[in-house]
């Protein structure tokens, strides 16, 4: 009974996503993308990558072991929320040539905490971990983004926003490398989890560094042009959201083949 209801809900969710994708792209057809607008093209490519991965993650969710479903669902939420923002950002870019900074920050405000919480979720799928770890990671990611936005929007000095934001990011890295989360991973005795955790941590270290670097070059030095910055952000999002989710999915699959489906 419950299984049937869940299957129906899943189908409904997929249909909604697909319908939204179709209607948004129909609206988008009214704006003309220039053949040499490479930034606009990357906005499009990333949008389509986001919707494809969203459908993929929700479709795959039911095939992984129970304990891994929240992780795969959250991966789908991240790309789903990003897809909606990308449809808007693409429109703003193609129509006005402006950098859609506010939309990026709103997107980050939702997707980044969800991603950072994934570390807790994948650990919790294989072992006992304290809920306080969840809150520490969540709050640190929010501090990072809120201060970045305040600095970028001019409510506080750009430098202060950068310094506090970066401190929060370093705190996250500390937690993942040598804090409770890193230690819990090491002592988990789960090979697939270790591989996934390490790969995700690499993304949070290298892939995420692109954003503060863009902030630094664009707002403190004032030297980076908007075309370059947007292309870099778009490609970074592709890796940091889609590849990040695929790592989680792959780990979930590996843990499923050894336990029961
Ligand atoms: C999918 C979007 C992602 C993974 C966005 C990540 C954004 C960051 C890691 C931003 C970091 C920042 C700092 C570390 C310093 C202050 C400025 C920010 C917000 C750009």
């Amino acid at each position: 009974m419950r299984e049937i209801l869940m299957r129906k809900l899943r189908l409904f969710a997929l249909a909604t996503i697909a319908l939204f994708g179709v209607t948004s792209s129909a609206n988008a057809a009214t704006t003309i993308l220039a053949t040499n607008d490479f930034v606009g093209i990357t906005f499009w490519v990333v949008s389509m990558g986001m919707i494809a991965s969203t459908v993929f993650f929700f479709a795959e969710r039911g095939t992984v072991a129970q304990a891994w479903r929240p992780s795969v669902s959250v991966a789908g939420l991240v790309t789903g929320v990003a897809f909606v923002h990308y449809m808007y950002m693409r429109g703003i870019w193609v129509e006005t040539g402006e950098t859609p900074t506010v939309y990026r920050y709103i997107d980050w405000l939702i997707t980044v905490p969800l991603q950072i919480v994934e570390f807790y979720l994948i650990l919790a799928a294989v072992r006992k971990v304290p809920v306080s770890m969840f809150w520490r990671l969540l709050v640190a990611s929010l501090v990072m983004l809120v201060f970045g936005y305040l600095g970028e929007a001019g409510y506080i000095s750009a430098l202060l926003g950068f310094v506090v934001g970066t401190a929060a990011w370093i705190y996250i890295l500390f937690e993942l490398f040598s804090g409770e989360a890193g230690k819990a991973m090491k002592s988990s005795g789960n090979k697939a989890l270790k591989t996934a955790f390490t790969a995700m941590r690499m993304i949070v270290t290298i892939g995420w560094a692109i954003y503060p670097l863009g902030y630094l070059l664009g707002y403190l030095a004032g030297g980076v042009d908007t075309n370059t910055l947007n292309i870099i952000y778009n490609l970074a999002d592709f890796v940091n959201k889609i590849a990040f989710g695929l790592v989680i999915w792959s780990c979930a699959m590996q843990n499923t083949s050894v336990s029961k489906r």
Side-chain angles (χ1 to χ4, degrees), residues 50 78 82 86 104-105 107-109 111-112 115 141 143-149 152 158 160-170 172 203-204 207-216 233 236-242 244:
M50 292 295 177
V78 167
Y86 260 88
R104 279 208 195 275
Y105 270 91
D107 176 74
W108 296 353
L109 200 62
T111 57
V112 171
Q115 288 189 284
S141 69
V143 168
M144 174 181 87
L145 297 166
V146 168
F147 274 84
Y149 181 72
E152 191 133 13
L160 181 64
F162 181 81
V163 169
V164 179
T166 303
W169 176 47
I170 289 172
I172 291 172
I203 291 180
V204 171
W208 284 24
I210 289 168
Y211 307 94
L213 225 59
Y215 182 102
L216 196 64
Y233 277 171
D237 280 358
F238 198 89
V239 173
N240 295 337
K241 292 190 167 67
I242 297 174
F244 192 87

Side-chain angles (χ1 to χ4, degrees), residues 49 52-57 60 64 68 71-72 74-76 78-79 115 118 122 192 195-196 199-200 203 238-254:
S53 10
T54 305
V55 173
F56 177 78
F57 290 134
E60 285 294 304
V64 305
W68 287 89
S71 312
V72 177
V74 171
V78 167
T79 53
Q115 288 189 284
E118 286 280 29
I122 64 168
T195 311
M200 288 156 64
I203 291 180
F238 198 89
V239 173
N240 295 337
K241 292 190 167 67
I242 297 174
F244 192 87
L246 286 173
V247 169
I248 293 162
W249 166 77
S250 153
C251 179
M253 289 303 274
Q254 287 172 59

